[in-house]
C-alpha cells in the first residue's frame, strides 16, 4: 500500500510551516518564538480578563489556532500531527498570557489521555509559579453506549466551548464563574461522526482500512475505531442514523433531546467531503431535527475540526437557552468562526416568490394582418429544420457532439405545438419576445442561447414599427448581442459566418422602397449560403469545434448551415413557393 501524497515540503516541518502560513495570512495572530504556540497579536487587550488557551495535535485545522481572536481563544498550542503538544510549550503559553496581565488562564482540553496529561503537567507547574489557572475537559462524543474508563472523547463540540468561554471572558467574567458555566454547558453538547475513508499522517500509511462502499460510524478525529461499519447510504439515511444514535436514551453517551428543545447544529467536514455534500447533509440534518420537533436556531456548516483528508463528517448539537445563544452570537474576530446570521433557522421561510412573468402576447395583442403570414413563415422554418435534422447531426458529428440537428428539431417541434395552441400576435416585437422565451425553454445548448439572445435583442426594435428601417435595426441589434455574449466574430467558423453577411445585406432594408424588399431578402439568402459554404475552409476559433484540429474539419459548420436554411425557408414562404 502506498503512502498518500500530500502537498508538503517536509514531513518533519509541515506543522511549523502550516502555523507560519496561518499567522502570515492573519494579521491578528502571532507565533511564540521557539514553540508551536499561536497567540493573539493584541495580547494587551486581555489585561484584567481571563485568557483562554486550547490546543492539541495538528491535522485538525482550523482547530485550534483558527479560533484565536477577540471573543474566543487567546492562544493555542499545537502538537505534531495527531500528537498532544509537549507540556513545555503549554507552560510557555500560560506564562506568556499571565505576564501580559491576564487575571487567570483557562485551559480548554479535549478528553484524550495525552492532552489531559500534558496540559495537566503544565497547569501544575504554572500553579507552582503563582498563576491562577484552571482546566475544563470537553467530552462530547456520543459513540459508545458503554464508555470505557477513559470516558467520552473530545470532538468538534469543543469549538462550542471555545465560543461560549470566549464570550464570557470578553465580558469580564471571573475564572471560577467561567469554569462553572462551561462545565454546565458541556453536559448539553453531543457529537457523532461518520467516515467514508481513512486518513493518513504525513509520511505514513492510512490509519485504518475501509473497503470501498463502506462507512464507519463513530470514529474519533484521529481515525480511532468507531462502533459500526455498514454500506454507504444516502445523506438522509446517514444523518438519521447519527441523530438516532446520539439521542438514544439506552446509550450512556447520549444527548437527551426532546420536542421543543432549541439547538445549535454544527455540520463539520472531517476533511475531504465537497462543499456540495456538506450542504446536502446540512439540509438533511435540519429536516431530521425538525421532524422530531426540535428547533434549530443556528447552523454552522463547513470545516471546523477536521481529520486531515478523511472523507466524512460529524454532527454536533448544543442545547441552548436565551443566555447561551447570546454568548454564541457574540462578536468574535477569530478567523475560522463563521459569519452566521442571528436568525433562527427553523422559524424562517426558505423561499420567496419569483417576479411574475410578463403577460403572454395573446393577452396583450390581437392577431393582426401579418398573423397569417407569420404563421406560414414559422411553419416553413419548422418544416425545413425537421427535414434537415439528420444532415445537421452528421455535420455536427465531425465538430461537436452530433446533436445540432436534434437541437434545432426540438425548437421546431416546440414552435409547431405553440402554433396549434396560441394566437399569433400581430405585433412583431412581441412575437420575437415570445419566440425568445420558447427557444430559451425548449431548445437548449449554446445554439438555443444564441438564438434567444438574437430574438431578445431584436424584439424591442419591432414593438412600435415593422417597416424596413425597424427590421434593419432589429437584425443589427440581434447579431451584435450574439457577438457580444457569445464571443465569436465572422470568420470564426460559427453560425455568424452565415448570419452576419445576410444581415449586412438586410441592412439595406432601412433605405429601400417596400417593393425592393424581396430582392434584398433574396440577396441575403444567397449571402448566407455562401457564408455557410465558406466555413469549410475556416479554422474554428469559437464554440466546441475550436477544440478540434483544423484538418479534421472539412464539412461546413452545422450552425451556419442551419441559419442559411432558416433564411431560405423565410424567403420561400414569403414568395409563396
Amino acid at each position: 500500500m502506498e503512502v498518500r501524497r500530500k502537498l508538503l515540503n517536509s514531513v518533519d516541518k509541515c506543522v511549523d510551516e502550516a502555523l507560519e502560513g496561518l499567522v502570515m495570512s492573519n494579521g491578528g495572530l502571532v507565533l511564540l518564538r521557539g514553540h508551536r504556540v499561536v497567540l493573539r497579536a493584541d495580547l494587551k487587550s486581555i489585561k484584567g480578563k481571563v485568557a483562554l488557551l486550547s490546543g492539541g495535535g495538528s491535522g485538525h485545522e482550523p482547530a485550534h489556532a483558527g479560533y484565536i481572536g477577540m471573543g474566543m481563544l487567546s492562544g493555542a498550542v499545537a502538537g505534531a500531527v495527531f500528537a498532544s503538544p509537549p507540556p513545555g510549550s503549554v507552560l510557555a503559553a500560560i506564562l506568556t498570557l499571565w505576564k501580559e496581565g491576564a487575571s487567570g488562564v483557562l485551559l480548554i482540553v479535549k478528553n484524550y489521555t495525552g492532552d489531559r496529561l500534558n496540559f495537566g503537567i503544565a497547569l501544575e507547574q504554572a500553579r507552582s509559579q503563582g498563576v491562577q489557572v484552571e482546566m475544563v475537559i470537553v467530552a462530547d462524543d456520543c459513540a459508545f453506549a458503554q464508555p470505557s474508563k477513559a470516558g467520552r472523547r473530545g470532538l468538534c463540540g469543543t469549538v462550542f466551548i471555545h465560543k461560549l468561554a470566549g464570550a464570557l471572558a470578553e465580558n469580564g467574567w471571573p475564572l471560577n464563574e467561567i469554569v462553572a458555566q462551561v462545565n454546565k454547558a458541556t453536559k448539553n453538547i453531543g457529537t457523532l461522526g461518520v467516515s467514508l475513508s481513512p486518513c493518513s499522517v504525513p509520511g505514513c500509511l492510512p490509519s485504518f482500512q475501509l473497503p470501498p462502499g463502506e462507512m464507519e460510524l463513530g470514529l474519533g478525529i484521529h481515525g480511532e475505531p468507531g462502533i459500526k461499519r455498514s454500506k454507504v447510504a444516502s445523506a438522509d439515511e446517514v444523518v438519521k442514523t447519527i441523530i438516532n444514535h446520539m439521542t438514544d436514551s439506552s446509550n450512556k453517551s447520549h444527548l437527551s433531546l426532546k420536542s421543543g428543545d432549541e439547538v445549535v447544529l454544527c455540520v463539520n467536514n472531517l476533511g475531504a467531503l465537497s462543499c456540495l455534500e456538506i450542504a446536502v447533509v446540512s439540509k438533511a440534518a435540519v429536516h431530521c431535527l425538525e421532524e422530531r420537533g426540535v428547533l434549530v436556531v443556528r447552523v454552522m456548516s463547513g470545516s471546523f475540526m477536521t481529520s486531515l483528508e478523511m472523507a466524512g463528517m460529524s454532527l454536533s448539537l448544543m442545547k441552548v437557552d436565551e443566555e447561551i445563544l447570546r454568548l454564541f452570537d457574540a462578536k468574535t474576530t477569530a478567523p475560522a468562526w463563521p459569519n452566521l446570521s442571528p436568525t433562527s433557522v427553523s422559524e424562517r421561510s426558505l423561499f420567496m416568490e419569483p417576479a411574475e412573468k410578463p403577460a403572454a402576447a395573446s393577452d396583450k395583442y390581437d392577431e393582426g394582418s401579418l398573423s397569417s403570414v407569420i404563421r406560414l413563415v414559422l411553419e416553413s422554418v419548422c418544416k425545413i429544420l425537421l427535414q434537415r435534422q439528420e444532415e445537421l447531426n452528421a455535420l455536427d458529428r465531425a465538430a461537436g457532439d452530433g446533436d445540432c440537428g436534434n437541437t434545432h428539431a426540438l425548437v421546431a417541434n416546440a414552435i409547431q405545438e405553440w402554433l396549434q395552441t396560441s394566437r399569433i400576435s400581430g405585433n412583431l416585437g412581441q412575437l420575437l419576445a415570445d419566440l425568445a422565451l420558447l427557444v430559451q425553454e425548449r431548445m437548449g445548448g449554446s445554439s438555443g442561447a444564441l438564438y434567444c439572445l438574437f430574438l431578445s435583442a431584436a424584439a424591442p426594435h419591432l414593438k412600435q414599427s415593422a417597416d424596413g428601417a425597424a427590421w434593419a435595426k432589429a437584425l443589427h441589434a440581434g447579431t451584435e448581442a450574439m457577438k457580444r455574449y457569445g464571443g465569436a466574430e465572422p470568420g470564426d467558423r460559427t453560425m455568424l459566418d452565415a448570419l452576419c453577411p445576410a444581415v449586412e445585406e438586410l441592412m439595406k432594408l432601412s433605405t429601400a422602397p417596400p417593393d425592393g424588399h424581396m430582392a434584398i431578402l433574396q440577396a441575403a439568402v444567397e449571402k448566407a449560403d455562401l457564408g455557410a459554404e465558406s466555413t469549410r475552409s475556416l479554422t474554428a476559433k469559437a464554440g466546441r469545434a475550436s477544440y478540434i484540429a483544423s484538418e479534421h474539419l472539412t464539412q461546413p459548420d452545422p450552425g451556419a448551415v442551419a441559419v442559411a436554411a432558416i433564411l431560405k425557408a423565410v424567403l420561400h414562404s414569403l414568395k409563396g413557393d
Side-chain angles (χ1 to χ4, degrees), residues 361-362 365-384 411-428 431-432 434-435 438 471 566 569-577:
S362 56
Y365 300 99
D366 293 326
E367 292 202 9
S369 58
L370 288 174
S371 297
S372 58
V373 177
I374 293 165
R375 185 177 289 275
L376 287 173
V377 168
L378 290 175
E379 286 173 349
S380 177
V381 168
C382 293
K383 184 178 177 183
I384 199 72
V411 79
N413 286 321
I415 292 172
Q416 285 181 335
E417 288 173 26
W418 183 70
L419 288 172
Q420 290 172 6
T421 58
S422 304
R423 289 186 300 178
I424 304 300
S425 171
N427 183 288
L428 288 172
L431 173 79
L432 294 193
D434 288 346
L435 288 173
L438 194 66
W471 270 107
I566 290 168
V570 172
L571 173 66
H572 288 169
S573 61
L574 291 176
K575 286 171 64 178
D577 294 351

Short mmCIF file of all heavy atoms in Angstrom, two decimals, residues 361-362 365-384 411-428 431-432 434-435 438 471 566 569-577:
data_model
loop_
_atom_site.label_atom_id
_atom_site.label_comp_id
_atom_site.label_asym_id
_atom_site.label_seq_id
_atom_site.Cartn_x
_atom_site.Cartn_y
_atom_site.Cartn_z
N ALA A 361 -48.28 37.18 -25.27
CA ALA A 361 -48.71 38.06 -26.36
C ALA A 361 -50.21 37.99 -26.56
O ALA A 361 -50.86 39.00 -26.83
CB ALA A 361 -47.99 37.65 -27.64
N SER A 362 -50.78 36.79 -26.43
CA SER A 362 -52.22 36.64 -26.66
C SER A 362 -53.05 37.44 -25.67
O SER A 362 -54.20 37.75 -25.93
CB SER A 362 -52.60 35.16 -26.59
OG SER A 362 -52.20 34.61 -25.35
N TYR A 365 -52.11 41.41 -27.21
CA TYR A 365 -52.29 41.81 -28.59
C TYR A 365 -53.25 40.86 -29.30
O TYR A 365 -53.25 39.66 -29.06
CB TYR A 365 -50.95 41.78 -29.34
CG TYR A 365 -49.91 42.72 -28.77
CD1 TYR A 365 -48.92 42.24 -27.91
CD2 TYR A 365 -49.92 44.07 -29.08
CE1 TYR A 365 -47.95 43.08 -27.39
CE2 TYR A 365 -48.96 44.93 -28.55
CZ TYR A 365 -47.99 44.44 -27.71
OH TYR A 365 -47.05 45.28 -27.20
N ASP A 366 -54.00 41.40 -30.19
CA ASP A 366 -54.86 40.57 -31.04
C ASP A 366 -54.07 40.15 -32.27
O ASP A 366 -53.04 40.75 -32.62
CB ASP A 366 -56.10 41.36 -31.48
CG ASP A 366 -56.99 41.67 -30.29
OD1 ASP A 366 -57.05 40.82 -29.38
OD2 ASP A 366 -57.60 42.75 -30.29
N GLU A 367 -54.59 39.14 -32.94
CA GLU A 367 -53.98 38.77 -34.21
C GLU A 367 -54.17 39.94 -35.17
O GLU A 367 -55.22 40.58 -35.20
CB GLU A 367 -54.61 37.49 -34.76
CG GLU A 367 -54.27 36.27 -33.92
CD GLU A 367 -54.42 34.97 -34.71
OE1 GLU A 367 -54.62 35.05 -35.94
OE2 GLU A 367 -54.30 33.91 -34.10
N GLY A 368 -53.14 40.17 -35.98
CA GLY A 368 -53.20 41.29 -36.91
C GLY A 368 -53.14 40.80 -38.34
O GLY A 368 -53.17 39.60 -38.63
N SER A 369 -53.00 41.75 -39.25
CA SER A 369 -52.98 41.41 -40.67
C SER A 369 -51.77 40.56 -41.03
O SER A 369 -51.79 39.81 -42.00
CB SER A 369 -52.97 42.70 -41.49
OG SER A 369 -51.85 43.50 -41.14
N LEU A 370 -50.70 40.68 -40.22
CA LEU A 370 -49.49 39.91 -40.50
C LEU A 370 -49.54 38.49 -39.95
O LEU A 370 -48.69 37.66 -40.27
CB LEU A 370 -48.26 40.62 -39.90
CG LEU A 370 -47.78 41.90 -40.58
CD1 LEU A 370 -46.66 42.53 -39.77
CD2 LEU A 370 -47.29 41.59 -41.99
N SER A 371 -50.52 38.22 -39.11
CA SER A 371 -50.52 36.96 -38.37
C SER A 371 -50.52 35.74 -39.28
O SER A 371 -49.81 34.76 -39.04
CB SER A 371 -51.70 36.90 -37.41
OG SER A 371 -51.61 37.93 -36.45
N SER A 372 -51.30 35.77 -40.33
CA SER A 372 -51.37 34.61 -41.23
C SER A 372 -50.05 34.42 -41.96
O SER A 372 -49.60 33.29 -42.19
CB SER A 372 -52.51 34.78 -42.22
OG SER A 372 -52.35 35.97 -42.97
N VAL A 373 -49.40 35.53 -42.32
CA VAL A 373 -48.10 35.46 -42.99
C VAL A 373 -47.05 34.87 -42.04
O VAL A 373 -46.26 34.00 -42.41
CB VAL A 373 -47.65 36.85 -43.48
CG1 VAL A 373 -46.26 36.79 -44.11
CG2 VAL A 373 -48.66 37.42 -44.46
N ILE A 374 -47.08 35.37 -40.81
CA ILE A 374 -46.12 34.89 -39.81
C ILE A 374 -46.30 33.39 -39.59
O ILE A 374 -45.32 32.64 -39.50
CB ILE A 374 -46.31 35.65 -38.48
CG1 ILE A 374 -45.91 37.11 -38.63
CG2 ILE A 374 -45.50 34.99 -37.36
CD1 ILE A 374 -46.39 38.00 -37.51
N ARG A 375 -47.55 32.95 -39.53
CA ARG A 375 -47.81 31.52 -39.32
C ARG A 375 -47.18 30.69 -40.44
O ARG A 375 -46.54 29.67 -40.19
CB ARG A 375 -49.31 31.28 -39.23
CG ARG A 375 -49.69 29.85 -38.88
CD ARG A 375 -51.19 29.71 -38.74
NE ARG A 375 -51.69 30.38 -37.54
CZ ARG A 375 -51.72 29.81 -36.33
NH1 ARG A 375 -51.27 28.58 -36.17
NH2 ARG A 375 -52.21 30.47 -35.31
N LEU A 376 -47.36 31.16 -41.69
CA LEU A 376 -46.77 30.44 -42.83
C LEU A 376 -45.25 30.40 -42.75
O LEU A 376 -44.62 29.38 -43.03
CB LEU A 376 -47.21 31.11 -44.14
CG LEU A 376 -48.66 30.90 -44.57
CD1 LEU A 376 -48.99 31.75 -45.79
CD2 LEU A 376 -48.90 29.42 -44.89
N VAL A 377 -44.66 31.55 -42.37
CA VAL A 377 -43.20 31.62 -42.26
C VAL A 377 -42.70 30.64 -41.20
O VAL A 377 -41.75 29.87 -41.45
CB VAL A 377 -42.76 33.06 -41.92
CG1 VAL A 377 -41.28 33.09 -41.52
CG2 VAL A 377 -43.00 34.00 -43.10
N LEU A 378 -43.33 30.65 -40.05
CA LEU A 378 -42.88 29.78 -38.97
C LEU A 378 -43.08 28.31 -39.33
O LEU A 378 -42.22 27.46 -39.02
CB LEU A 378 -43.62 30.11 -37.67
CG LEU A 378 -43.26 31.46 -37.03
CD1 LEU A 378 -44.16 31.74 -35.82
CD2 LEU A 378 -41.79 31.50 -36.61
N GLU A 379 -44.19 27.99 -39.97
CA GLU A 379 -44.41 26.60 -40.38
C GLU A 379 -43.35 26.15 -41.38
O GLU A 379 -42.87 25.01 -41.33
CB GLU A 379 -45.82 26.46 -40.99
CG GLU A 379 -46.92 26.49 -39.95
CD GLU A 379 -48.31 26.54 -40.56
OE1 GLU A 379 -48.41 26.75 -41.80
OE2 GLU A 379 -49.30 26.37 -39.81
N SER A 380 -42.99 27.04 -42.28
CA SER A 380 -41.96 26.72 -43.28
C SER A 380 -40.60 26.49 -42.62
O SER A 380 -39.88 25.55 -42.97
CB SER A 380 -41.87 27.87 -44.29
OG SER A 380 -40.84 27.63 -45.22
N VAL A 381 -40.25 27.35 -41.64
CA VAL A 381 -38.98 27.20 -40.93
C VAL A 381 -38.95 25.86 -40.18
O VAL A 381 -37.95 25.12 -40.23
CB VAL A 381 -38.76 28.38 -39.95
CG1 VAL A 381 -37.61 28.10 -39.00
CG2 VAL A 381 -38.51 29.67 -40.73
N CYS A 382 -40.05 25.54 -39.51
CA CYS A 382 -40.09 24.28 -38.76
C CYS A 382 -39.94 23.08 -39.69
O CYS A 382 -39.22 22.12 -39.38
CB CYS A 382 -41.41 24.17 -37.98
SG CYS A 382 -41.58 25.37 -36.66
N LYS A 383 -40.63 23.14 -40.83
CA LYS A 383 -40.59 22.03 -41.78
C LYS A 383 -39.17 21.79 -42.28
O LYS A 383 -38.69 20.64 -42.32
CB LYS A 383 -41.52 22.35 -42.96
CG LYS A 383 -41.63 21.23 -43.98
CD LYS A 383 -42.60 21.62 -45.09
CE LYS A 383 -42.67 20.52 -46.15
NZ LYS A 383 -43.56 20.92 -47.29
N ILE A 384 -38.45 22.85 -42.63
CA ILE A 384 -37.10 22.68 -43.17
C ILE A 384 -36.13 22.17 -42.10
O ILE A 384 -35.26 21.35 -42.36
CB ILE A 384 -36.59 23.99 -43.83
CG1 ILE A 384 -35.41 23.69 -44.77
CG2 ILE A 384 -36.13 25.00 -42.80
CD1 ILE A 384 -35.81 22.98 -46.03
N VAL A 411 -36.67 22.74 -31.12
CA VAL A 411 -37.35 24.03 -31.17
C VAL A 411 -38.39 24.04 -32.27
O VAL A 411 -39.44 24.69 -32.15
CB VAL A 411 -36.33 25.18 -31.30
CG1 VAL A 411 -35.81 25.35 -32.71
CG2 VAL A 411 -36.95 26.49 -30.81
N ALA A 412 -38.15 23.31 -33.38
CA ALA A 412 -39.14 23.23 -34.45
C ALA A 412 -40.42 22.58 -33.94
O ALA A 412 -41.54 23.07 -34.20
CB ALA A 412 -38.58 22.44 -35.63
N ASN A 413 -40.27 21.48 -33.19
CA ASN A 413 -41.45 20.82 -32.62
C ASN A 413 -42.17 21.72 -31.63
O ASN A 413 -43.40 21.75 -31.56
CB ASN A 413 -41.04 19.51 -31.94
CG ASN A 413 -40.70 18.42 -32.95
OD1 ASN A 413 -41.37 18.30 -33.97
ND2 ASN A 413 -39.67 17.64 -32.68
N ALA A 414 -41.38 22.46 -30.83
CA ALA A 414 -41.96 23.36 -29.83
C ALA A 414 -42.77 24.47 -30.51
O ALA A 414 -43.87 24.83 -30.05
CB ALA A 414 -40.86 23.95 -28.95
N ILE A 415 -42.23 25.00 -31.61
CA ILE A 415 -42.95 26.07 -32.32
C ILE A 415 -44.22 25.53 -32.96
O ILE A 415 -45.28 26.18 -32.94
CB ILE A 415 -42.03 26.73 -33.39
CG1 ILE A 415 -40.90 27.51 -32.69
CG2 ILE A 415 -42.83 27.66 -34.30
CD1 ILE A 415 -39.83 28.04 -33.63
N GLN A 416 -44.14 24.31 -33.51
CA GLN A 416 -45.33 23.71 -34.10
C GLN A 416 -46.44 23.53 -33.05
O GLN A 416 -47.61 23.81 -33.31
CB GLN A 416 -44.99 22.36 -34.74
CG GLN A 416 -44.24 22.50 -36.05
CD GLN A 416 -43.93 21.15 -36.69
OE1 GLN A 416 -43.85 20.13 -36.00
NE2 GLN A 416 -43.75 21.15 -38.00
N GLU A 417 -46.07 23.06 -31.86
CA GLU A 417 -47.04 22.92 -30.77
C GLU A 417 -47.65 24.29 -30.42
O GLU A 417 -48.85 24.43 -30.22
CB GLU A 417 -46.37 22.34 -29.51
CG GLU A 417 -46.01 20.88 -29.60
CD GLU A 417 -45.22 20.45 -28.38
OE1 GLU A 417 -45.37 21.09 -27.30
OE2 GLU A 417 -44.42 19.51 -28.49
N TRP A 418 -46.77 25.27 -30.34
CA TRP A 418 -47.18 26.63 -29.96
C TRP A 418 -48.16 27.20 -31.00
O TRP A 418 -49.15 27.84 -30.65
CB TRP A 418 -45.93 27.49 -29.84
CG TRP A 418 -46.15 28.90 -29.39
CD1 TRP A 418 -46.52 29.34 -28.16
CD2 TRP A 418 -45.98 30.07 -30.20
NE1 TRP A 418 -46.60 30.71 -28.13
CE2 TRP A 418 -46.27 31.19 -29.38
CE3 TRP A 418 -45.61 30.29 -31.52
CZ2 TRP A 418 -46.21 32.49 -29.84
CZ3 TRP A 418 -45.54 31.60 -31.99
CH2 TRP A 418 -45.85 32.68 -31.16
N LEU A 419 -47.89 26.94 -32.29
CA LEU A 419 -48.75 27.44 -33.35
C LEU A 419 -50.16 26.85 -33.26
O LEU A 419 -51.15 27.49 -33.64
CB LEU A 419 -48.15 27.13 -34.73
CG LEU A 419 -46.92 27.94 -35.13
CD1 LEU A 419 -46.31 27.40 -36.42
CD2 LEU A 419 -47.26 29.42 -35.30
N GLN A 420 -50.26 25.62 -32.76
CA GLN A 420 -51.56 24.95 -32.66
C GLN A 420 -52.38 25.46 -31.47
O GLN A 420 -53.61 25.37 -31.48
CB GLN A 420 -51.36 23.44 -32.52
CG GLN A 420 -50.85 22.78 -33.77
CD GLN A 420 -50.49 21.32 -33.56
OE1 GLN A 420 -50.73 20.76 -32.49
NE2 GLN A 420 -49.88 20.71 -34.57
N THR A 421 -51.71 25.99 -30.48
CA THR A 421 -52.41 26.35 -29.23
C THR A 421 -52.46 27.85 -28.96
O THR A 421 -53.14 28.28 -28.03
CB THR A 421 -51.74 25.67 -28.02
OG1 THR A 421 -50.36 26.08 -27.97
CG2 THR A 421 -51.80 24.15 -28.15
N SER A 422 -51.76 28.66 -29.75
CA SER A 422 -51.65 30.08 -29.43
C SER A 422 -52.12 30.95 -30.59
O SER A 422 -52.04 30.57 -31.76
CB SER A 422 -50.19 30.45 -29.11
OG SER A 422 -49.70 29.66 -28.07
N ARG A 423 -52.57 32.15 -30.23
CA ARG A 423 -52.82 33.17 -31.24
C ARG A 423 -51.50 33.81 -31.61
O ARG A 423 -50.62 33.97 -30.77
CB ARG A 423 -53.77 34.22 -30.68
CG ARG A 423 -55.19 33.72 -30.50
CD ARG A 423 -56.13 34.85 -30.08
NE ARG A 423 -55.74 35.45 -28.81
CZ ARG A 423 -56.38 36.48 -28.26
NH1 ARG A 423 -57.41 37.02 -28.87
NH2 ARG A 423 -55.98 36.96 -27.11
N ILE A 424 -51.36 34.16 -32.86
CA ILE A 424 -50.12 34.80 -33.32
C ILE A 424 -50.29 36.31 -33.21
O ILE A 424 -51.20 36.89 -33.83
CB ILE A 424 -49.82 34.42 -34.79
CG1 ILE A 424 -49.76 32.91 -34.95
CG2 ILE A 424 -48.51 35.07 -35.23
CD1 ILE A 424 -48.70 32.25 -34.11
N SER A 425 -49.44 36.92 -32.43
CA SER A 425 -49.53 38.36 -32.22
C SER A 425 -49.25 39.10 -33.52
O SER A 425 -48.33 38.75 -34.27
CB SER A 425 -48.52 38.80 -31.16
OG SER A 425 -48.47 40.21 -31.10
N GLY A 426 -50.04 40.12 -33.77
CA GLY A 426 -49.78 40.97 -34.92
C GLY A 426 -48.64 41.93 -34.67
O GLY A 426 -48.18 42.60 -35.59
N ASN A 427 -48.17 42.00 -33.42
CA ASN A 427 -47.03 42.87 -33.08
C ASN A 427 -45.75 42.05 -33.19
O ASN A 427 -45.52 41.11 -32.43
CB ASN A 427 -47.21 43.41 -31.66
CG ASN A 427 -46.09 44.37 -31.28
OD1 ASN A 427 -44.97 43.97 -31.05
ND2 ASN A 427 -46.44 45.65 -31.21
N LEU A 428 -44.90 42.40 -34.14
CA LEU A 428 -43.71 41.59 -34.41
C LEU A 428 -42.72 41.61 -33.26
O LEU A 428 -42.02 40.63 -33.01
CB LEU A 428 -43.04 42.07 -35.70
CG LEU A 428 -43.82 41.72 -36.98
CD1 LEU A 428 -43.20 42.39 -38.19
CD2 LEU A 428 -43.87 40.21 -37.17
N LEU A 431 -43.98 39.17 -30.83
CA LEU A 431 -43.79 37.82 -31.39
C LEU A 431 -42.36 37.33 -31.16
O LEU A 431 -42.13 36.19 -30.73
CB LEU A 431 -44.11 37.83 -32.89
CG LEU A 431 -43.78 36.50 -33.58
CD1 LEU A 431 -44.87 35.49 -33.32
CD2 LEU A 431 -43.55 36.69 -35.08
N LEU A 432 -41.37 38.18 -31.47
CA LEU A 432 -39.97 37.78 -31.27
C LEU A 432 -39.67 37.53 -29.79
O LEU A 432 -38.92 36.61 -29.45
CB LEU A 432 -39.02 38.85 -31.83
CG LEU A 432 -39.03 39.08 -33.34
CD1 LEU A 432 -37.83 39.93 -33.75
CD2 LEU A 432 -39.04 37.79 -34.13
N ASP A 434 -41.83 36.44 -27.58
CA ASP A 434 -42.45 35.15 -27.25
C ASP A 434 -41.59 34.00 -27.77
O ASP A 434 -41.39 32.99 -27.09
CB ASP A 434 -43.85 35.06 -27.86
CG ASP A 434 -44.86 35.96 -27.16
OD1 ASP A 434 -44.54 36.42 -26.04
OD2 ASP A 434 -45.95 36.17 -27.70
N LEU A 435 -41.09 34.15 -29.00
CA LEU A 435 -40.23 33.10 -29.57
C LEU A 435 -38.93 32.96 -28.77
O LEU A 435 -38.41 31.85 -28.61
CB LEU A 435 -39.92 33.41 -31.03
CG LEU A 435 -41.07 33.23 -32.02
CD1 LEU A 435 -40.67 33.74 -33.41
CD2 LEU A 435 -41.50 31.77 -32.09
N LEU A 438 -39.67 30.84 -25.84
CA LEU A 438 -39.87 29.46 -26.28
C LEU A 438 -38.52 28.78 -26.56
O LEU A 438 -38.28 27.65 -26.14
CB LEU A 438 -40.74 29.46 -27.54
CG LEU A 438 -41.33 28.12 -27.97
CD1 LEU A 438 -42.33 27.61 -26.94
CD2 LEU A 438 -42.00 28.26 -29.33
N TRP A 471 -36.77 46.79 -39.09
CA TRP A 471 -36.17 45.46 -39.27
C TRP A 471 -34.64 45.55 -39.32
O TRP A 471 -33.94 44.70 -38.75
CB TRP A 471 -36.69 44.81 -40.56
CG TRP A 471 -37.92 44.00 -40.35
CD1 TRP A 471 -39.20 44.31 -40.72
CD2 TRP A 471 -38.00 42.74 -39.68
NE1 TRP A 471 -40.07 43.33 -40.33
CE2 TRP A 471 -39.36 42.34 -39.69
CE3 TRP A 471 -37.07 41.90 -39.07
CZ2 TRP A 471 -39.81 41.16 -39.12
CZ3 TRP A 471 -37.50 40.71 -38.49
CH2 TRP A 471 -38.85 40.34 -38.52
N ILE A 566 -32.78 28.40 -42.48
CA ILE A 566 -33.88 29.17 -41.90
C ILE A 566 -34.22 30.37 -42.78
O ILE A 566 -35.39 30.64 -43.09
CB ILE A 566 -33.53 29.62 -40.46
CG1 ILE A 566 -33.51 28.42 -39.51
CG2 ILE A 566 -34.51 30.68 -39.96
CD1 ILE A 566 -32.90 28.71 -38.15
N ALA A 569 -35.97 29.31 -45.88
CA ALA A 569 -37.38 28.96 -45.62
C ALA A 569 -38.24 30.21 -45.50
O ALA A 569 -39.39 30.25 -45.97
CB ALA A 569 -37.46 28.13 -44.34
N VAL A 570 -37.70 31.25 -44.87
CA VAL A 570 -38.43 32.52 -44.75
C VAL A 570 -38.70 33.09 -46.14
O VAL A 570 -39.84 33.50 -46.46
CB VAL A 570 -37.63 33.53 -43.89
CG1 VAL A 570 -38.29 34.90 -43.93
CG2 VAL A 570 -37.51 33.03 -42.46
N LEU A 571 -37.69 33.09 -46.98
CA LEU A 571 -37.82 33.65 -48.33
C LEU A 571 -38.89 32.88 -49.13
O LEU A 571 -39.78 33.48 -49.74
CB LEU A 571 -36.47 33.59 -49.06
CG LEU A 571 -36.50 33.99 -50.54
CD1 LEU A 571 -36.84 35.47 -50.70
CD2 LEU A 571 -35.15 33.69 -51.21
N HIS A 572 -38.80 31.56 -49.13
CA HIS A 572 -39.72 30.76 -49.93
C HIS A 572 -41.16 30.93 -49.46
O HIS A 572 -42.09 30.96 -50.28
CB HIS A 572 -39.31 29.27 -49.87
CG HIS A 572 -38.05 29.00 -50.64
ND1 HIS A 572 -37.35 27.81 -50.56
CD2 HIS A 572 -37.34 29.76 -51.52
CE1 HIS A 572 -36.29 27.86 -51.34
NE2 HIS A 572 -36.26 29.04 -51.93
N SER A 573 -41.35 31.02 -48.15
CA SER A 573 -42.73 31.17 -47.66
C SER A 573 -43.30 32.53 -48.04
O SER A 573 -44.50 32.66 -48.34
CB SER A 573 -42.78 30.96 -46.15
OG SER A 573 -41.99 31.93 -45.48
N LEU A 574 -42.45 33.56 -48.02
CA LEU A 574 -42.93 34.90 -48.38
C LEU A 574 -43.20 35.02 -49.88
O LEU A 574 -44.08 35.77 -50.31
CB LEU A 574 -41.91 35.96 -47.95
CG LEU A 574 -41.76 36.16 -46.43
CD1 LEU A 574 -40.65 37.16 -46.12
CD2 LEU A 574 -43.08 36.64 -45.81
N LYS A 575 -42.45 34.27 -50.68
CA LYS A 575 -42.66 34.29 -52.14
C LYS A 575 -43.83 33.40 -52.54
O LYS A 575 -44.29 33.45 -53.67
CB LYS A 575 -41.38 33.81 -52.85
CG LYS A 575 -40.27 34.85 -52.83
CD LYS A 575 -38.95 34.27 -53.34
CE LYS A 575 -39.04 33.87 -54.80
NZ LYS A 575 -37.73 33.35 -55.31
N GLY A 576 -44.23 32.53 -51.58
CA GLY A 576 -45.33 31.63 -51.88
C GLY A 576 -44.89 30.40 -52.62
O GLY A 576 -45.70 29.73 -53.29
N ASP A 577 -43.59 30.04 -52.54
CA ASP A 577 -43.07 28.85 -53.24
C ASP A 577 -43.60 27.57 -52.59
O ASP A 577 -43.78 27.51 -51.39
CB ASP A 577 -41.54 28.85 -53.21
CG ASP A 577 -40.98 30.00 -54.03
OD1 ASP A 577 -41.77 30.66 -54.73
OD2 ASP A 577 -39.74 30.24 -53.95
#
